[in-house]
Amino acid sequence: MEKRKKVQKRKPKKQKKSFLKRVVKTLLLTALLCVFLVGLFVCCVYYGMWGKIPDYQDLREIRNFEASSLYSSDGELLGKYYVENRTNVPFGEISRNAVNALIATEDVRFYEHKGFDKISMLRVLFKTLLLGDRSSGGGSTISQQLAKNLFPREYRSSLMLPVIKIKEIITAHRLEKLYSKDEILTLYLNTVSFGEGTFGIESAAQKYFSTTATQLTIPEAATLIGLLKGPSYYNPRVHPDRMLQRRNTVIAQMEKYDYLTEAEAEQLKKEKLELRYKPLNHYSGLAPYLREQIRQDAMKLIAKYNEANSTNYNLYKDGLILTTTIDAEMQRYAEDAMHTHMKSLQNSFYTHWDKQDPWYKEPDILDKAIRESTAYKSLKQQGLGEKAILAALNEKKCMTIYSAYQGEVEMQMSPIDSIKHYLKILHPGMIAIEPHTGKVKVWIGGLDFKYFQYDQVLAPRQVGSVFKPVVYSAAVEHGARVDAYYKDEQKSYPDYDNWTPRNSNNRSGGFYTLKGALSQSINTIAVEVLLQTGIDTTIAHARRLGIQSDLPAVPSIALGAANIPLKEMVLPYLCYANNGVLTEPYYLISIKDREGRIIYEAEPPRKERVLPSGEAHLMSSMLTAVIQEGTGKRLINNYGLNIAIAGKTGTTQNQADGWFIGYTPRIVVGIRVGANNSRVHFKSTSLGQGANMALPIFGLFMQDCLKSSTYSYWENLSFPVPPMSTQKELEVPTFKENINILDRLTNRKLEKVKHHEEVAPETEQPKKKGFFKKIGDLFKKKDKK
């Protein structure tokens, strides 16, 4: 019995041992199976079952899209062309402050691991999965984050997270094998997004602090690194309070890991969040209209180079360096002058019309604008009737518009109110060119490129009296004496449908020399001089001076009836300012790749002598009189510009456009102002003339230039004097109420010329002494006797 009891007591022990063995065995087998399955899973990921993992060749050829940059002639970044706004920089050009902030915040053991931080990953698994603490972060190293940024995740499902993480770990490990730690940091800081379409530390530094990655201070670096956690959520421009807290968190991390002392950290946390925000987009910044023109030209030039050299350069992706002739300092003065004057002028325009609309006598102007609007066309396509469309267009809603006073503003306005608003806006165009080099130094195509893409520099418009110097230049070229007097009288021309030109003030009388008639912009004499010289002769002369637009063979071209773009209308003035030599303007100097290889380089501009130097100096002398005593004297009276300036104002029919083209011996400046619809204009000449609409921009611009040490020397320059014989002719009074019998007899002989006699262009036959000069020489011989 005892033996039986003992046997019965031992049996459970054996059963327990065998059970434990089975459990341990099962656990071991399960563990082995798990390890096998995990290994199999990793192998499947490794060999691309869920998509290819970048191999070493792929990683060696990493190349981020990089923005191409456009620089001014004085080295300022004007703008960029990009798919991603990024400028890659080497490690040596990244502030140590940014590197320290990044490591302290994102990966404190960066220099210890090989792409995968086991400690960090275990921390995340324990806190996140076991304790449910999501503040522990993602556990990804900088190398893993770089892998994720370079090769974005293909799957969005949370079930694929293990696949994604393994792929990133493998990629990160391969990156660590190929690149040094500093190279990985460089790749990372050149790759990451800092919000608002900005990629890389250099572009972010430029955008948020108007500085470079090299010069980032600790607070600036902490701000940018803090942005990486959530570029939209922590945007310092939109959410400054959030960003300030985030920046201080980064500073605290830098203190925690001994990059800063406690005292330094506390002091830095007290600093305000001070942005120097500089939006680098296609609309903002200096010279946006020229940047767009250069973009179009560069695309063609790069395509031509690629075809010739079997390359594949891309303006938006390859980080090309473009250099323009634009002078950033001068451009800034011009834009400031333009904005200052246009606010005042637009206010005058609104006050001038008061509660009336400029089209109250011509309602079809508004009607046509409505029917050509995008809103009207969209509603029409939807099948709405006329009444329903107009009802919809009269409904007020919140919209963002351009205001001449404030720039971009939000207002409650109906679409028709918006159309009326934009019809009334006056638009400026301005260009400045060095006459001796042909370099374009200033280009303003309008008020705001975001709202008005139409480039006023390229827009053909009636030129008004700024064409008169071409008429007088042609007359001088073909023999007119400048000491002759022309009668200011209103008369009709039977050969031209009894056309009767009038002066702007509707008055006439007295006698003017060419210099006097030009300075006072006498229309009747300009027409008479044109007809005496010959219309075809004057047109041929205009062609030689660079004007290629259509010039109708009618006498009204003397008064500027032709439509010519501002960019073209300044060319004769370039010739006068450059001693009779016309230098072809250009604005793009070069296009180079990141290694400095030349894709395009501007050839020396074409130069051609189109006038004898003496005649060019004579024209400068006559155009100086416009400023000293004529329609441009506001430059002296209102702006104190009593320096060597020549120029001409211009006012077109019905005051639709106001012009001023002026120059010093170093710069030629052309300005035109008017509404896009030429039927919208001032109703008085005093407000609508070029001296009021355009000339003030030149005055403000020159004031700023002369205050600058860069251009102050202009004050001491002077124009070359005309030849001695011409100087004597210029010394006679420019105006006489009446002339005596002897003067009349002499004058008649000087003016006696066949109206339709033409002189062949200089290129076709040797230049002959003009008829006016021949007669003048006869009188000179008599005087000697």
Side-chain angles (χ1 to χ4, degrees):
M1 291 292 294
E2 289 178 4
K3 283 182 182 179
R4 191 178 295 167
K5 282 181 183 179
K6 284 179 183 179
V7 171
Q8 287 174 349
K9 285 180 182 178
R10 285 174 187 170
K11 268 187 178 181
K13 286 183 181 180
K14 285 182 181 180
Q15 286 175 354
K16 278 184 182 180
K17 283 182 182 180
S18 62
F19 176 74
L20 285 173
K21 281 181 182 179
R22 284 198 302 272
V23 169
V24 170
K25 189 176 179 180
T26 303
L27 288 173
L28 284 173
L29 287 172
T30 303
L32 286 172
L33 180 62
C34 287
V35 169
F36 172 77
L37 291 173
V38 168
L40 180 64
F41 175 67
V42 170
C43 286
C44 289
V45 174
Y46 184 88
Y47 287 106
M49 183 172 283
W50 285 279
K52 180 178 178 287
I53 297 175
D55 57 25
Y56 289 105
Q57 184 63 32
D58 295 329
L59 298 177
R60 283 191 192 94
E61 295 174 354
I62 289 172
R63 189 177 171 196
N64 287 319
F65 289 167
E66 185 173 358
S68 293
S69 302
L70 177 67
Y71 289 91
S72 66
S73 61
D74 47 346
E76 184 170 329
L77 177 65
L78 295 179
K80 295 182 177 183
Y81 307 105
Y82 55 83
V83 173
E84 294 179 350
N85 180 14
R86 176 188 288 109
T87 300
N88 292 326
V89 287
F91 187 77
E93 292 180 19
I94 299 174
S95 167
R96 194 70 212 179
N97 296 325
V99 173
N100 293 343
L102 177 65
I103 292 172
T105 309
E106 297 293 330
D107 191 355
V108 292
R109 283 176 290 277
F110 174 71
Y111 285 105
E112 298 167 19
H113 62 66
K114 298 294 182 183
F116 174 64
D117 187 351
K118 303 179 189 70
I119 297 172
S120 179
M121 190 57 68
L122 287 171
R123 169 180 56 78
V124 171
L125 286 171
F126 180 75
K127 284 190 173 183
T128 304
L129 298 181
L130 300 180
L131 301 180
D133 182 4
R134 294 188 176 276
S135 66
S136 59
S140 293
T141 64
I142 288 173
S143 302
Q144 285 174 258
Q145 291 179 47
L146 174 60
K148 180 175 69 176
N149 288 326
L150 289 173
F151 305 97
R153 295 172 175 178
E154 299 171 7
Y155 309 100
R156 296 191 179 275
S157 171
S158 57
L159 295 174
M160 295 300 295
L161 190 59
V163 173
I164 292 165
K165 282 293 181 184
I166 291 169
K167 289 174 79 172
E168 287 173 0
I169 289 168
I170 295 168
T171 305
H173 185 67
R174 289 176 177 176
L175 284 167
E176 294 268 358
K177 281 188 172 182
L178 280 177
Y179 297 101
S180 69
K181 289 289 186 178
D182 288 351
E183 287 172 335
I184 287 172
L185 286 172
T186 305
L187 271 171
Y188 180 84
L189 286 170
N190 279 327
T191 301
V192 288
S193 169
F194 289 88
E196 296 193 359
T198 303
F199 296 82
I201 192 79
E202 176 70 12
S203 293
Q206 291 170 357
K207 185 165 202 168
Y208 293 107
F209 297 106
S210 297
T211 187
T212 62
T214 314
Q215 298 172 320
L216 285 169
T217 63
I218 293 173
E220 290 169 351
T223 300
L224 295 183
I225 297 305
L227 259 177
L228 299 178
K229 186 172 183 180
S232 297
Y233 187 80
Y234 291 109
N235 186 313
R237 182 178 61 83
V238 181
H239 307 294
D241 294 337
R242 288 180 194 168
M243 187 66 252
L244 182 62
Q245 291 180 355
R246 178 63 186 159
R247 183 203 71 178
N248 290 345
T249 299
V250 175
I251 291 172
Q253 286 293 103
M254 293 177 76
E255 176 203 341
K256 180 179 178 180
Y257 294 107
D258 298 326
Y259 292 110
L260 296 172
T261 65
E262 184 178 352
E264 286 172 334
E266 290 306 311
Q267 186 63 35
L268 290 169
K269 287 177 186 178
K270 292 175 184 176
E271 289 190 16
K272 292 181 179 179
L273 180 67
E274 293 186 358
L275 298 181
R276 294 182 299 282
Y277 186 76
K278 184 179 179 182
L280 289 171
N281 56 46
H282 303 305
Y283 303 123
S284 62
L286 290 174
Y289 289 87
L290 181 62
R291 284 172 10 218
E292 170 57 19
Q293 189 65 32
I294 288 176
R295 183 192 69 80
Q296 294 177 27
D297 292 351
M299 292 287 285
K300 294 173 186 174
L301 291 167
I302 293 167
K304 184 178 178 182
Y305 181 89
N306 285 338
E307 186 177 352
N309 297 275
S310 299
T311 52
N312 59 348
Y313 286 113
N314 187 300
L315 179 66
Y316 301 105
K317 299 177 181 179
D318 289 333
L320 306 178
I321 306 298
L322 296 84
T323 307
T324 175
T325 59
I326 286 290
D327 184 316
E329 183 183 0
M330 203 185 292
Q331 177 76 23
R332 192 169 282 110
Y333 294 150
E335 291 189 11
D336 289 345
M338 179 271 289
H339 285 298
T340 299
H341 174 63
M342 291 309 297
K343 284 181 183 178
S344 172
L345 185 69
Q346 192 68 52
N347 186 59
S348 296
F349 190 75
Y350 291 146
T351 305
H352 173 69
W353 282 103
D354 195 19
K355 294 179 181 179
Q356 264 185 346
D357 287 323
W359 52 85
Y360 78 101
K361 289 184 179 179
E362 300 176 276
D364 65 298
I365 294 175
L366 177 60
D367 186 61
K368 185 179 179 184
I370 290 171
R371 293 175 189 282
E372 289 179 350
S373 69
T374 305
Y376 180 93
K377 290 176 180 177
S378 175
L379 293 169
K380 191 78 173 173
Q381 285 178 350
Q382 293 174 31
L384 272 68
E386 189 72 12
K387 192 173 180 180
I389 290 173
L390 293 177
L393 293 178
N394 273 302
E395 289 179 8
K396 291 187 182 294
K397 57 183 179 180
C398 184
M399 58 175 68
T400 304
I401 63 163
Y402 175 84
S403 162
Y405 303 122
Q406 302 160 270
E408 192 171 80
V409 293
E410 285 190 3
M411 293 186 70
Q412 283 288 330
M413 186 179 277
S414 74
I416 286 181
D417 289 336
S418 171
I419 292 167
K420 290 178 180 178
H421 169 75
Y422 285 118
L423 272 174
K424 293 178 186 176
I425 288 182
L426 304 175
H427 300 270
M430 180 175 179
I431 189 170
I433 306 170
E434 281 183 348
H436 54 293
T437 66
K439 292 179 179 178
V440 175
K441 291 296 178 182
V442 168
W443 184 301
I444 297 175
L447 290 165
D448 188 304
F449 187 70
K450 182 176 181 179
Y451 286 89
F452 314 105
Q453 277 86 50
Y454 187 59
D455 194 330
Q456 303 294 330
V457 172
L458 306 175
R461 295 289 286 239
Q462 272 196 2
V463 292
S465 294
V466 291
F467 190 80
K468 286 177 182 173
V470 176
V471 175
Y472 286 83
S473 175
V476 170
E477 174 76 4
H478 291 85
R481 287 174 61 90
V482 294
D483 59 355
Y485 287 93
Y486 293 79
K487 188 176 182 180
D488 175 17
E489 62 177 339
Q490 187 175 307
K491 64 181 186 179
S492 300
Y493 294 91
D495 291 346
Y496 298 98
D497 297 325
N498 284 318
W499 179 61
T500 308
R502 300 179 181 183
N503 294 323
S504 61
N505 57 10
N506 284 320
R507 294 197 296 266
S508 59
F511 297 82
Y512 292 86
T513 63
L514 293 182
K515 181 178 179 180
L518 183 59
S519 68
Q520 300 301 323
S521 204
I522 306 298
N523 290 341
T524 56
I525 293 176
V527 173
E528 192 65 17
V529 169
L530 169 75
L531 293 175
Q532 287 183 357
T533 306
I535 294 175
D536 292 341
T537 299
T538 302
I539 290 174
H541 185 77
R543 297 278 182 250
R544 289 174 56 206
L545 295 181
I547 294 175
Q548 299 303 315
S549 294
D550 182 48
L551 297 173
V554 293
S556 59
I557 64 166
L559 310 183
N563 292 309
I564 303 172
L566 176 59
K567 182 181 176 227
E568 198 174 299
M569 193 59 243
V570 297
L571 297 180
Y573 294 80
L574 284 179
C575 173
Y576 305 145
N578 194 32
N579 309 310
V581 175
L582 179 59
T583 304
E584 187 177 16
Y586 70 105
Y587 45 75
L588 182 58
I589 297 173
S590 65
I591 304 173
K592 297 179 181 178
D593 69 9
R594 286 176 291 189
E595 282 72 46
R597 282 186 287 270
I598 296 172
I599 295 170
Y600 166 79
E601 191 165 38
E603 296 179 358
R606 186 173 60 84
K607 297 183 178 184
E608 181 183 359
R609 175 164 293 286
V610 294
L611 284 182
S613 59
E615 290 180 13
H617 300 160
L618 170 60
M619 289 306 301
S620 288
S621 177
M622 291 171 65
L623 289 166
T624 299
V626 175
I627 310 303
Q628 296 293 330
E629 58 194 51
T631 58
K633 60 187 177 184
R634 289 191 194 189
L635 288 178
I636 297 173
N637 297 341
N638 294 8
Y639 300 96
L641 297 175
N642 200 5
I643 63 171
I645 298 176
K648 185 70 187 77
T649 57
T651 308
T652 62
Q653 191 173 14
N654 297 323
Q655 303 82 234
D657 288 284
W659 290 73
F660 181 73
I661 301 178
Y663 61 93
T664 72
R666 286 292 178 273
I667 197 78
V668 175
V669 182
I671 301 162
R672 181 190 62 77
V673 177
N676 274 340
N677 189 318
S678 60
R679 293 161 69 192
V680 175
H681 49 74
F682 283 104
K683 53 187 174 182
S684 75
T685 305
S686 60
L687 292 174
Q689 64 181 312
N692 187 63
M693 290 180 73
L695 178 143
I697 297 176
F698 182 91
L700 293 168
F701 167 68
M702 287 300 295
Q703 281 182 334
D704 283 345
C705 285
L706 294 174
K707 288 175 189 173
S708 166
S709 58
T710 312
Y711 320 108
S712 57
Y713 75 95
W714 290 356
E715 206 163 1
N716 304 315
L717 300 175
S718 59
F719 292 112
V721 295
M724 285 298 295
S725 59
T726 311
Q727 283 184 53
K728 289 180 181 179
E729 294 179 15
L730 288 168
E731 287 170 3
V732 302
T734 58
F735 173 76
K736 287 184 178 182
E737 288 280 359
N738 289 292
I739 55 176
N740 59 38
I741 294 173
L742 181 60
D743 286 338
R744 285 174 184 269
L745 180 64
T746 306
N747 239 22
R748 276 201 302 272
K749 290 179 179 177
L750 287 173
E751 292 180 348
K752 190 175 182 182
V753 63
K754 295 176 183 176
H755 283 200
H756 301 290
E757 181 180 358
E758 302 294 349
V759 180
E762 190 175 275
T763 53
E764 294 181 15
Q765 65 182 52
K767 183 181 172 183
K768 296 179 180 179
K769 186 172 282 191
F771 188 73
F772 291 116
K773 292 287 185 186
K774 286 180 180 178
I775 295 175
D777 289 345
L778 291 175
F779 279 92
K780 285 184 180 179
K781 290 174 185 176
K782 287 181 181 179
D783 291 340
K784 287 179 183 178
K785 290 177 181 178

